[in-house]
Amino acid sequence: MNKQSIPLLSPAIGTHRELVSFHFGPSDSGQKIYIQSSLHADETPAMLTTVLLKRRLLELEKQGALNAEIVLVPVANPVGLGQYVLGQFLGRFDLGSGKNFNRHFMQFSKLVERAKDALGSDAAENRRIVRELIAAELAEQKPLTEFESLQLALLKLSFDADVVIDLHCSLEAAMHLYTSEAAWPEFEPLSRYLGAQASLLATNSGGESFDETHSLLWWQLQQAMPADRPVPDGAIAVTVECRGQRDVSYEVAQEDADALVDYLVWRKAIKLDVKPLPELLSPATPLAGSEQFYAPVSGILVHRAKIGETIRVGQALFDIVDPLTDETTTLVSNTEGVFYMRRAIRFVTAGAPLGRVTGKKAFRTGVLLGA
Ligand SMILES: [Zn+2]
């Protein structure tokens, strides 16, 4: 293992942050796995999982069991961790610009046209050509802010990975993950090992997120190129939501770290015996089929359903109680699916997002991710 550090652009005189990464395994194996946690800064369930995963990888490396280069970034957002305001971490958005740390990533898909002209008949060579183009594009970037320099540093560590795993957590949530339809067969085993209660699929959610910049370019090239100029899977990417923000325990983090190791074994990135695949707890559903609930009025939020519960159409999910008029507004589900996440607040303003239930039928369009 070797530890590396990338200095971030200093936002103000006398302040300085760095992005630290841990690199395991042989760098010439032909397979690279990139795993980061806590891109929204205070996502501690994911961070603890990465700590335990790092310990395991150190042991496995000593045993000579690593078959791939594995890059681990346990603290993907040191900028957000510095945003500790009046006793609260505000790690989702950059306080300087208001930007979500997992949006606005430079999208590799801007290279599609240039890549198309450069590709030939050899799939492996085409992968190399496209990665070279991305590397050159990243080398040309000149970040102006600490936010931009953080995003660029993350992409420089990850752009040439075959598999990108982005570990987050939600507010109050069941284990769930996001990936593309095309990558689902490759990540279905991960969903099984993690015991994910929802797997949400979208090719392009429109959010310019970290995972999609990796996967979208390759998918778009695969759609555009004729069969005699083949494009391999250059990178597949998944975002894993390690339950809710307060679900921090050694037991659960160990289970999740073990599940990641099991998955890497399945991928042949680690030389151990493959563990039998557990059952898939819920079939994958389109992200565009998830129902998102918003408060029509302000008031006290009382939950009527449990996280991870399977919800029927018409089932009550939320009550909003007005303490002045005594009126209660009840929100019911219009889809049948899993209640996979909800906000952690218990008093809502009008228009506040409340939670989400999976649905089999896509009905939403436009940008599919929340702010
Ligand atoms: Zn997050």
Side-chain angles (χ1 to χ4, degrees):
M1 189 270 288
N2 78 80
K3 181 180 165 186
Q4 295 179 19
S5 164
I6 302 175
L8 301 182
L9 186 148
S10 167
I13 293 161
T15 67
H16 179 86
R17 292 191 181 86
E18 59 178 358
L19 183 70
V20 176
S21 55
F22 299 89
H23 301 247
F24 299 84
S27 57
D28 58 353
S29 67
Q31 186 175 193
K32 176 175 171 181
I33 312 280
Y34 175 86
I35 302 174
Q36 70 177 22
S37 61
S38 312
L39 182 53
H40 288 123
D42 52 323
E43 297 179 321
T44 31
M47 213 184 275
L48 186 59
T49 294
T50 316
V51 170
L52 300 181
L53 178 62
K54 181 160 147 269
R55 290 180 191 167
R56 188 80 198 283
L57 289 177
L58 275 171
E59 284 168 18
L60 289 164
E61 191 173 51
K62 268 187 213 147
Q63 294 163 16
L66 298 187
N67 238 350
E69 179 183 10
I70 303 174
V71 177
L72 213 56
V73 179
V75 179
N77 186 357
V79 179
L81 278 183
Q83 298 182 164
Y84 183 69
V85 180
L86 301 175
Q88 299 284 330
F89 280 102
L90 296 174
R92 188 169 179 81
F93 301 93
D94 172 39
L95 284 184
S97 62
K99 287 178 177 168
N100 184 323
F101 282 104
N102 195 21
R103 307 287 185 271
H104 317 285
F105 273 95
M106 186 191 99
Q107 293 295 295
F108 298 157
S109 50
K110 72 188 217 181
L111 299 168
V112 164
E113 291 307 317
R114 249 187 286 166
K116 270 160 70 176
D117 296 340
L119 299 183
S121 59
D122 181 332
E125 178 64 6
N126 286 344
R127 183 193 284 126
R128 194 192 59 74
I129 290 169
V130 174
R131 284 185 177 160
E132 237 169 47
L133 276 174
I134 302 172
E137 185 68 23
L138 289 172
E140 275 181 21
Q141 299 298 309
K142 293 193 174 47
L144 290 173
T145 63
E146 193 183 35
F147 177 94
E148 289 176 6
S149 85
L150 172 66
Q151 290 201 329
L152 181 61
L154 293 169
L155 292 180
K156 282 184 173 174
L157 287 169
S158 63
F159 80 93
D160 57 350
D162 303 283
V163 180
V164 172
I165 301 177
D166 192 9
L167 302 173
H168 292 240
C169 72
S170 194
L171 297 160
E172 293 180 0
M175 169 62 84
H176 62 283
L177 57 84
Y178 299 88
T179 189
S180 62
E181 283 98 347
W184 173 238
E186 294 292 318
F187 286 120
E188 196 228 40
L190 178 65
S191 181
R192 290 171 181 259
Y193 285 125
L194 286 168
Q197 286 178 271
S199 299
L200 299 146
L201 308 185
T203 296
N204 183 3
S205 63
E208 299 185 329
S209 57
F210 181 77
D211 57 354
E212 279 184 3
T213 190
H214 292 87
S215 53
L216 205 51
L217 166 65
W218 297 96
W219 183 82
Q220 287 175 340
L221 284 173
Q222 285 165 350
Q223 304 310 304
M225 299 308 289
D228 61 344
R229 291 160 75 194
V231 179
D233 274 337
I236 53 169
V238 64
T239 293
V240 177
E241 301 283 351
C242 300
R243 306 178 189 77
Q245 207 153 22
R246 297 177 69 176
D247 296 325
V248 180
S249 74
Y250 284 125
E251 291 74 19
V252 169
Q254 190 65 60
E255 277 174 30
D256 293 348
D258 290 347
L260 288 165
V261 169
D262 292 343
Y263 176 67
L264 296 182
V265 172
W266 179 85
R267 289 212 71 88
K268 299 185 174 60
I270 298 174
K271 284 178 269 183
L272 291 177
D273 292 336
V274 176
K275 288 232 182 100
L277 288 169
E279 70 168 311
L280 185 67
L281 295 187
S282 299
T285 53
L287 178 57
S290 279
E291 187 173 9
Q292 307 205 359
F293 298 88
Y294 297 90
V297 291
S298 173
I300 302 159
L301 178 66
V302 183
H303 289 289
R304 300 276 305 272
K306 288 195 179 67
I307 275 300
E309 198 175 324
T310 300
I311 304 296
R312 302 176 315 276
V313 174
Q315 184 174 339
L317 294 175
F318 311 99
D319 278 354
I320 300 171
V321 181
D322 184 325
L324 301 179
T325 64
D326 232 13
E327 253 176 63
T328 297
T329 306
T330 300
L331 277 78
V332 302
S333 181
N334 295 302
T335 66
E336 185 185 312
V338 177
F339 186 31
Y340 63 97
M341 72 82 69
R342 67 188 188 196
R343 305 261 328 269
I345 47 173
R346 296 295 183 267
F347 186 89
V348 290
T349 52
L354 302 176
R356 299 174 195 169
V357 174
T358 64
K360 292 188 191 81
K361 247 175 101 180
F363 66 93
R364 294 191 296 129
T365 54
V367 177
L368 298 174
L369 296 170

